[in-house]
Amino acid sequence: MLNMYVFATALGLASAAAVAAAAVAPTYPPLAVLKAFRLVVQVTERSTSNDFASIHNTYISNIRTGHQGHDLLGQTENADKALTFYLNGTTTAQEYMRVLTESTTSVSSGIRLDPDEGSRTVRTAYLIEGAADVGFSLKHPSENYAFLHPETWAACKEKLPLDKDREVIVFKQAITTTSHMFGTVDQNIPKGCVSVRLLPECANLNDLPKFSSYLPEQITPSHQHVLGSHCYKDVKAIDWSKYGPGP
Ligand SMILES: *[C@@H]1O[C@H](CO)[C@@H](O)[C@H](O)[C@H]1NC(C)=O
């Protein structure tokens, strides 16, 4: 199902780009390829999302849940608290790539998407020690922009499971569904959430943490399989009105 979704998204963007290209010569913000990146939140539903305006241009960070090595993805205005991620894998095919970080513990953690209870389309993003999902990428060859796939990302206000008084912003990924019978497309963004895009901003790869010698070899952090990441030098500084056409 994931592969089909990714394919459909790529196809949609490619054909939209082809139509646009016939009208105006497009330009796009310059991309670099580095070994690490931070993720910058871009709220894509501006008019309906006053509640979420303050998270625009903030960075992805982690929220402790009380379970060691099992954090939620959150956001922070403070660049120093942003997580430094990298793509890990032996090939740049999306189905084999992970998004990892050593920013939180001495074991590599990576993004994992766990289905929300009772939902077939919405998954909450966690940062899990030693058990990241594969299936992520930053730029498809047919696209001119870099952003975290799979889309669509949503920022949602939620109460923490162990601290019901604390409302935080967490991130979810929603699978777009189409109804052939009604000819409708549904992004499946949950109620109370806003759709966002997560853009990679170039960063320096962290040094490997000083880990204790008792760590089993298979969880000892390594940068042996770090792949190049397309990234923007400074996402906040991009004047999007100068670029396009396109989202
Ligand atoms: C990084 O990628 C390599 C090659 O695919 C894999 O063997 C390794 O387990 C990955 N690291 C983590 C922490 O998932």
Side-chain angles (χ1 to χ4, degrees):
M1 172 146 61
L2 181 63
N3 282 342
M4 259 176 63
Y5 161 64
V6 166
F7 178 67
T9 308
L11 211 64
L13 288 176
S15 54
V19 170
V24 198
T27 52
Y28 304 101
L31 281 164
V33 177
L34 258 69
K35 294 215 150 175
F37 58 93
R38 296 180 296 200
L39 286 169
V40 181
V41 179
Q42 301 276 287
V43 179
T44 50
E45 269 177 48
R46 289 296 190 87
S47 55
T48 56
S49 58
N50 288 337
D51 262 15
F52 287 94
S54 66
I55 70 166
H56 191 67
N57 278 334
T58 61
Y59 292 97
I60 293 290
S61 62
N62 61 312
I63 302 170
R64 304 269 183 215
T65 60
H67 299 290
Q68 164 70 20
H70 198 281
D71 294 356
L72 283 155
L73 284 194
Q75 48 81 229
T76 177
E77 275 169 49
N78 187 344
D80 294 339
K81 290 191 180 149
L83 302 177
T84 300
F85 295 105
Y86 58 93
L87 291 177
N88 184 76
T90 47
T91 116
T92 53
Q94 176 166 333
E95 54 265 52
Y96 302 113
M97 280 195 286
R98 293 179 170 89
V99 173
L100 301 182
T101 180
E102 283 94 29
S103 295
T104 57
T105 58
S106 56
V107 176
S108 303
S109 298
I111 299 178
R112 198 170 85 190
L113 298 172
D114 283 347
D116 280 16
E117 223 181 300
S119 175
R120 294 165 71 175
T121 51
V122 179
R123 301 183 291 174
T124 296
Y126 290 90
L127 197 64
I128 306 289
E129 221 173 70
D133 275 348
V134 287
F136 296 96
S137 70
L138 292 176
K139 183 181 171 294
H140 287 175
S142 61
E143 292 167 1
N144 301 296
Y145 296 96
F147 47 89
L148 185 64
H149 300 267
E151 292 212 292
T152 309
W153 290 93
C156 304
K157 289 186 179 167
E158 272 194 3
K159 299 249 156 79
L160 281 179
L162 291 177
D163 185 357
K164 296 273 187 226
D165 295 332
R166 212 176 128 208
E167 195 177 62
V168 289
I169 289 178
V170 301
F171 290 85
K172 295 173 188 278
Q173 186 261 337
I175 296 168
T176 299
T177 50
T178 48
S179 159
H180 295 294
M181 200 193 299
F182 301 108
T184 52
V185 177
D186 192 342
Q187 284 201 307
N188 296 307
I189 304 295
K191 267 208 175 65
C193 302
V194 69
S195 68
V196 298
R197 200 156 242 197
L198 301 177
L199 270 57
E201 186 167 278
C202 302
N204 293 318
L205 192 61
N206 286 333
D207 292 336
L208 284 170
K210 290 194 178 69
F211 46 84
S212 10
S213 50
Y214 60 77
L215 272 184
E217 196 189 333
Q218 65 270 28
I219 61 164
T220 303
S222 151
H223 285 161
Q224 201 189 332
H225 297 288
V226 178
L227 295 165
S229 293
H230 285 91
C231 54
Y232 298 105
K233 218 174 129 201
D234 183 353
V235 170
K236 275 179 273 202
I238 299 173
D239 177 358
W240 295 101
S241 67
K242 285 208 240 161
Y243 300 104

